[in-house]
Amino acid sequence: MAFQKRFLKGAIGTAVFVALLTALLSAGQIVPVAWADSTRFDVPAGSHPHDVAPAPDGGPVYFTAQRSGHLGILDPATGRVDLVSLGPGSAPHGVIVGPDAAAWVTDGGLNAIVRVDPSSRQVRRWPLPADASDANLNTATFDRRGRLWFTGQAGYYGRLDPGTGDMRVWRAPRGSGPYGICTTPAGEVYFASLAGSFIARVDLDSGMAMVIEPPTRKQGARRVWSDSRGRIWVSFWNTGQVAAYDPSSSSWREWRLPGTARAYAVWVDSSDRVWLSDWSTNSIVRFDPVSERFENPDGSTAAGVRQIMGRAGEVWAAESGSDRLVRLPDP
């Protein structure tokens, strides 16, 4: 497969990437897999797609056009992209599909939670309170009670009840850093702190965050995702590792990605395989917890993938550096 010609500014060049990947393959640190080629979809130039969220029913794929202030809606069958303006000053970061099938956006520019109706495209906003101005909103997750939990990298995490409009915001332990957030199958909510280098479990009633320390210090825990057993998988940005925290035993395991990795995105599929984006090689890798080996599912580069999400048979990623979305098969 031909390597992509466009790279995120500051990423390594094609020759260096090829040499590094070849060396890792030869050393057996990355296992190539014979899958069908990935499919890439162009989105409007300059939109800088940050996060991506495919509708679980096989319908549209949503993405945040961070630099243009839109929610993007891709029809994978036709490649058509519609843009929904989120309002003046919008700079959306995260997007997820809620239990109501709507797109829910954490908008750092508006400092608000935004809902976009999937049919009417109507936009509704819930601004954060004045004492959490400029929270630098990042990502969100729904708990099993239908409430939205979210993070703000300026040092906040919060909760919105869409039914009542009640919003609560708390200051995070150690200040700035809250980034990724997820819900486990049992309904527990965890978030990661990039600057604080920890993960935390949130008490869903009181809102109190209990800090959980990874074994590696100053690792830069960036994103989190739960597997089917409730283990919390974490991407370590500073140290290039992926880690798993098991709440049942309060134990950790850590693995270093091949090469001089910068692990950004993390997502776990229905078979409990772990997908990550590595910014040192500008690539997507998959980790098999059973064999404890990394696989390279996509022979081309993935320009600046900040988030990975999926649905039955598909893995989706947003290439922020190339203004494209990529779909990979998930066998």
Side-chain angles (χ1 to χ4, degrees), residues 96-130:
I96 59 173
V97 177
D100 57 355
W104 289 83
V105 177
T106 39
D107 196 311
L110 298 176
N111 203 45
I113 305 300
V114 181
R115 178 188 185 273
V116 178
D117 187 272
S119 300
S120 67
R121 310 288 172 86
Q122 181 181 5
V123 177
R124 184 178 177 186
R125 307 175 190 86
W126 287 265
L128 268 64

Side-chain angles (χ1 to χ4, degrees), residues 34-291:
W35 292 349
D37 289 349
S38 58
T39 304
R40 281 171 165 77
F41 301 85
D42 291 326
V43 302
S47 58
H48 189 73
H50 199 288
D51 280 19
V52 62
D57 61 1
V61 177
Y62 301 99
F63 65 92
T64 47
Q66 190 174 50
R67 288 182 180 165
S68 65
H70 294 87
L71 174 71
I73 306 175
L74 167 72
D75 179 352
T78 64
R80 174 177 172 175
V81 175
D82 293 329
L83 296 178
V84 178
S85 176
L86 302 181
S90 169
H93 187 287
V95 60
I96 59 173
V97 177
D100 57 355
W104 289 83
V105 177
T106 39
D107 196 311
L110 298 176
N111 203 45
I113 305 300
V114 181
R115 178 188 185 273
V116 178
D117 187 272
S119 300
S120 67
R121 310 288 172 86
Q122 181 181 5
V123 177
R124 184 178 177 186
R125 307 175 190 86
W126 287 265
L128 268 64
D131 60 356
S133 61
D134 196 22
N136 191 7
L137 288 168
N138 282 73
T139 48
T141 187
F142 275 93
D143 65 18
R144 297 296 178 259
R145 306 180 203 177
R147 301 175 302 180
L148 183 83
W149 293 83
F150 56 87
T151 57
Q153 201 173 351
Y156 300 92
Y157 64 99
R159 183 186 70 203
L160 168 68
D161 186 333
T164 65
D166 179 61
M167 181 180 287
R168 296 286 306 278
V169 178
W170 294 271
R171 290 191 175 274
R174 303 180 190 172
S176 63
Y179 204 96
I181 192 168
C182 71
T183 303
T184 72
E188 295 182 328
V189 173
Y190 288 79
F191 71 83
S193 177
L194 175 60
S197 286
F198 64 83
I199 67 169
R201 180 174 62 82
V202 179
D203 185 295
L204 301 184
D205 294 317
S206 69
M208 180 179 177
M210 183 187 74
V211 171
I212 303 168
E213 302 277 6
T216 299
R217 297 179 63 251
K218 298 181 180 180
Q219 78 297 126
R222 188 152 206 159
R223 292 205 183 243
V224 288
W225 204 266
S226 174
D227 66 17
S228 65
R229 295 165 50 186
R231 295 176 299 183
I232 308 303
W233 290 85
V234 193
S235 57
F236 289 171
W237 173 250
N238 293 342
T239 58
Q241 296 167 288
V242 60
Y245 172 71
D246 190 341
S248 66
S249 59
S250 299
S251 62
W252 285 89
R253 292 201 65 191
E254 298 175 337
W255 298 264
R256 185 174 297 280
L257 273 68
T260 56
R262 300 279 277 179
Y264 198 125
V266 63
W267 176 73
V268 183
D269 66 21
S270 60
S271 298
D272 283 346
R273 294 167 298 200
V274 184
W275 296 74
L276 304 120
S277 61
D278 173 11
W279 278 40
S280 72
T281 55
N282 215 14
S283 63
I284 294 173
V285 296
R286 193 180 75 175
F287 178 68
D288 181 354
V290 177
S291 65

